[in-house]
Amino acid sequence: MTRKLSSFQCWMREIWQTKSWYFMLLPGLAWFFIFKYIPMYGASIAFKDYNILKGIIDSPWANPWYKHFASFYESPYFTQLLSNTFLISMYKLLFGMIPAILFAVLLYECRNVVLKRWVQTISYMPHFLSWVIIYGICMALLSESSGLFNDWLQSLLDRKIPFLSSTEWFRSVLIASDIWKDLGWGAIIYLAAMSAIDPTLFEAARIDGAGRLRLIWHVTLPSIRNLIILMLLLKLGTIMDAGFEQIYIMYNVKVYDVADIIDTWVFRVGLEQMNYSVATAVGLFKSVIGLVLILIANQCAKRWEGSIW
């Protein structure tokens, strides 16, 4: 007679049978624990008057506990920093995802294999360039004094446009350079999802008389709908990260009103002035907002069966 196993025993037996998989999982879990969970203890300095000589443990607790959060909220730059961060992130999200999807569709529809590989290779290259190099390219093209584009405007229209030092143009340059840098790289995952679409779906649509545009609209895009929702969710989680490296390299005092984001302010005020508690409080504030946005977006995505959990 076979003895009936409890649920715990079944669970342990399943783990033992797949022990090699769990063993391979251990290095990844160890990395996350060491580099992601242990440093979370440092977040406690957001609630302390941190002194670098005393260390985290011996530094006194802030009074009141929300002192550093309040100092950021009461800062005259709070509204400007928050709006700049949200606007630049939303522009990157909206104007960055759609071109990547369209570019992936165009590559998928391209029947010339050689041309397709060349275009893919060239479109991936900007992703591997640092923002310093990209800023150098922008300077060579858009500089008001010696930029190629402004020289052309001067000769044709007798005028120049301060693309890099004007509050009217700076965000456009920021978003355009970000799209150019990651267009090809962002299209990879959509292209991979398209390559997994069942070919019989296309055959059935062709038999029904669908042309190429209808195939894209009724087969290709619906087949990657869940992936698009998933990517949107992941990007919403980092909506407060507007791109510190890019903005810190490209901005200047003349465009602070439209370019100064939370990260650049934290770097100037929190780290350059060694005010670590304020920097940590602002970082915690950003993380909480990102978590709330992910929870809201995931609830909305459940309606289209594209939620993460």
Side-chain angles (χ1 to χ4, degrees):
M1 182 176 178
T2 307
R3 187 170 62 92
K4 188 176 181 181
L5 297 176
S6 65
S7 57
F8 177 75
Q9 287 172 324
C10 291
W11 181 59
M12 291 300 295
R13 189 172 69 173
E14 185 180 343
I15 290 178
W16 180 253
Q17 289 173 345
T18 55
K19 55 184 179 299
S20 58
W21 295 99
Y22 286 102
F23 182 75
M24 286 190 285
L25 192 64
L26 284 179
L29 291 175
W31 184 88
F32 260 94
F33 181 73
I34 294 171
F35 294 104
K36 296 294 182 183
Y37 285 91
I38 292 179
M40 287 173 71
Y41 173 69
S44 63
I45 67 175
F47 306 97
K48 289 189 168 189
D49 291 325
Y50 178 66
N51 187 320
I52 194 171
L53 299 176
K54 292 182 179 178
I56 296 177
I57 297 175
D58 294 332
S59 295
W61 291 99
N63 186 21
W65 63 269
Y66 53 83
K67 172 183 173 183
H68 301 295
F69 294 92
S71 67
F72 175 61
Y73 177 73
E74 293 166 358
S75 164
Y77 304 106
F78 176 77
T79 306
Q80 176 187 308
L81 294 169
L82 202 60
S83 62
N84 283 343
T85 305
F86 265 113
L87 282 176
I88 293 173
S89 292
M90 288 305 295
Y91 289 156
K92 286 185 175 180
L93 180 63
L94 294 176
F95 297 112
M97 274 192 74
I98 295 174
I101 295 169
L102 292 178
F103 185 63
V105 170
L106 291 174
L107 285 176
Y108 184 67
E109 291 295 322
C110 182
R111 296 293 177 254
N112 189 325
V113 178
V114 177
L115 176 64
K116 184 178 178 178
R117 287 177 180 171
W118 269 98
V119 172
Q120 278 185 285
T121 305
I122 293 170
S123 65
Y124 297 161
M125 287 174 65
H127 176 77
F128 299 101
L129 299 177
S130 70
W131 280 113
V132 176
I133 295 174
I134 291 178
Y135 181 61
I137 295 172
C138 290
M139 283 287 288
L141 294 174
L142 304 175
S143 169
E144 189 177 2
S145 58
S146 59
L148 192 63
F149 192 70
N150 266 320
D151 287 345
W152 178 68
L153 282 178
Q154 178 72 36
S155 60
L156 288 180
L157 306 174
D158 194 26
R159 61 171 297 196
K160 290 190 174 184
I161 299 175
F163 291 104
L164 300 174
S165 57
S166 163
T167 53
E168 296 177 356
W169 286 92
F170 186 77
R171 281 180 183 164
S172 301
V173 174
L174 210 65
I175 305 305
S177 58
D178 184 71
I179 292 173
W180 174 69
K181 188 175 188 292
D182 286 328
L183 179 67
W185 191 257
I188 289 177
I189 191 165
Y190 299 112
L191 202 57
M194 289 174 195
S195 64
I197 298 174
D198 188 353
T200 57
L201 295 176
F202 292 105
E203 293 298 329
R206 285 194 191 97
I207 291 171
D208 289 341
R212 181 163 283 191
L213 287 178
R214 284 193 176 275
L215 287 175
I216 293 171
W217 186 253
H218 292 290
V219 179
T220 307
L221 291 178
S223 298
I224 62 168
R225 185 189 63 180
N226 288 346
L227 176 66
I228 294 172
I229 295 172
L230 177 64
M231 296 301 291
L232 183 64
L233 284 177
L234 294 176
K235 286 182 181 292
L236 279 176
T238 58
I239 199 73
M240 299 296 286
D241 293 322
F244 168 75
E245 187 182 356
Q246 178 194 15
I247 296 174
Y248 189 72
I249 289 172
M250 297 181 73
Y251 82 159
N252 54 69
V253 179
K254 293 180 181 176
V255 294
Y256 269 7
D257 290 345
V258 297
D260 198 17
I261 60 172
I262 291 175
D263 286 337
T264 52
W265 183 84
V266 166
F267 188 81
R268 289 200 313 275
V269 177
L271 300 182
E272 288 181 353
Q273 298 176 14
M274 300 180 70
N275 198 342
Y276 299 113
S277 293
V278 171
T280 308
V282 176
L284 209 54
F285 169 74
K286 278 178 51 184
S287 302
V288 170
I289 290 182
L291 176 63
V292 171
L293 285 174
I294 279 199
L295 292 175
I296 294 173
N298 191 63
Q299 285 300 115
C300 295
K302 282 183 178 178
R303 296 187 176 186
W304 294 280
E305 299 177 354
S307 60
I308 297 176
W309 66 89

